[in-house]
Amino acid sequence: MPAERRPRHITDLALWKREGRKLAMLTCYDALFARLLEGSGVDLMLVGDSLHQVLGGHDTTLGATLDAMIYHAGAVRRGARETLVFIDLPFLTYQVSIAEAVRNAGRAMQEADVHGVKLEGGRHIAPTIQALTDVGIPVMAHLGLTPQSVHQLGGYKVQGRDAAAADRLLADAKAVEEAGACALVLELVPTALAKRVTAALAIPTIGIGAGPHCDGQVLVLHDMLGLNEGFDPKFLKKYGTLAGATRDAVRQYVDEVQSGKFPDKSHSFE
Ligand code: KIV
């Protein structure tokens, strides 16, 4: 997709929703992939705190630090100048007080030069969303399975399955929109509930494991490229097999080094 067809401003997100245009978002953690993603027409990039799991090898996102997020987000922005980039605010950088949230989100905006922040939670975090948007920081909200609460939720499970939980999630969605959120990630939510939330909001919903009725979709880049072997949840579609391709290339390199085939004359200096 040519760059001019991407959402260029935060205000384009609601416009795209009104026009019924679907948003394709992917996580991105570095400049090299950011360049590739931008060249492939992705609409939005998310520097997710999932990097603490995917790159850091941890079981949860809880240990991600603001410094690490800012480092990775800065790299993504340097790789993709034309694409809207959001950064996840890590655990405990926005829950302690509104003043801390504004300070930390402001640091992310200033130091990583991103377009907006993402944070998890519904009605209880709405005053924080309001405070951030009041100082000009765009906020993407996140409901359903909120990974920073994985222990409280008892694991990575579908949320909002019964009627009361579904009603609570809908009320949370309306509260974050009312507080000024510019988009809402819905993670691991039944299709019918995601459809209901999407119909109730003027801001776009971006689903992961939330079915086809959301206004956009997001996947973790390394998962959809097939780099994260052994991770096969029902919602994930793998569009590549890069783990196998990487292993094949590395095996060939090891063989050639060990056999003396590499470097040959064409890869050596006279
Ligand atoms: O951290 C992350 O990558 C996310 C996406 C899965 C939405 O929050």
Side-chain angles (χ1 to χ4, degrees):
M1 180 186 292
E4 65 273 14
R5 296 242 10 245
R6 289 200 183 93
R8 302 302 296 271
H9 306 285
I10 295 294
T11 47
D12 291 337
L13 300 178
L15 183 70
W16 274 44
K17 170 148 183 157
R18 286 199 295 281
E19 292 174 349
R21 290 156 77 166
K22 295 267 192 183
L23 290 157
M25 181 160 89
L26 282 172
T27 64
C28 193
Y29 312 134
D30 62 58
L32 192 147
F33 270 124
R35 255 196 318 275
L36 290 172
L37 265 51
E38 183 163 271
S40 309
V42 77
D43 293 314
L44 299 168
M45 292 183 208
L46 171 66
V47 187
D49 56 1
S50 53
L51 65 78
H52 197 62
Q53 297 173 284
V54 178
L55 302 186
H58 297 274
D59 289 336
T60 73
T61 61
L62 294 176
T65 64
L66 187 58
D67 284 343
M69 296 301 301
I70 288 173
Y71 169 82
H72 286 277
V76 169
R77 282 287 287 139
R78 286 189 291 279
R81 298 306 303 171
E82 306 291 334
T83 307
L84 291 180
V85 176
F86 284 80
I87 185 173
D88 256 335
L89 291 182
F91 181 59
L92 281 196
T93 61
Y94 60 94
Q95 296 96 333
V96 176
S97 71
I98 288 181
E100 268 193 44
V102 173
R103 176 76 58 206
N104 287 327
R107 252 196 81 196
M109 301 290 289
Q110 284 188 314
E111 294 178 31
D113 189 30
V114 290
H115 301 95
V117 303
K118 178 166 83 56
L119 50 75
E120 300 178 6
R123 277 161 288 181
H124 69 285
I125 212 74
T128 304
I129 296 175
Q130 180 80 62
L132 293 174
T133 54
D134 282 351
V135 297
I137 299 176
V139 178
M140 182 180 287
H142 185 155
L143 290 171
L145 186 281
T146 44
Q148 293 175 13
S149 306
V150 63
H151 298 306
Q152 177 85 350
L153 297 173
Y156 295 96
K157 303 177 188 164
V158 176
Q159 303 295 309
R161 278 202 188 277
D162 63 64
D167 288 347
R168 280 198 300 277
L169 195 145
L170 182 60
D172 282 335
K174 288 180 176 165
V176 298
E177 176 176 76
E178 176 71 27
C182 63
L184 169 62
V185 167
L186 288 175
E187 180 164 356
L188 296 192
V189 169
T191 297
L193 175 56
K195 186 177 183 185
R196 207 172 138 207
V197 172
T198 300
L201 301 187
I203 58 172
T205 58
I206 303 178
I208 174 164
H213 303 297
C214 293
D215 300 301
Q217 298 293 325
V218 57
L219 286 174
V220 170
L221 177 67
H222 295 63
D223 298 343
M224 61 84 80
L225 291 178
L227 271 166
N228 196 0
E229 281 185 320
F231 185 63
D232 290 299
K234 181 176 161 72
F235 67 82
L236 175 62
K237 179 167 178 183
K238 293 191 178 179
Y239 288 84
T241 52
L242 294 203
T246 302
R247 221 177 0 252
D248 289 348
V250 173
R251 277 196 187 125
Q252 188 179 350
Y253 165 74
V254 170
D255 283 350
E256 292 193 4
V257 169
Q258 290 175 346
S259 68
K261 189 172 174 195
F262 176 82
D264 58 12
K265 222 174 151 191
S266 62
H267 295 96
S268 305
F269 301 100
E270 294 298 331

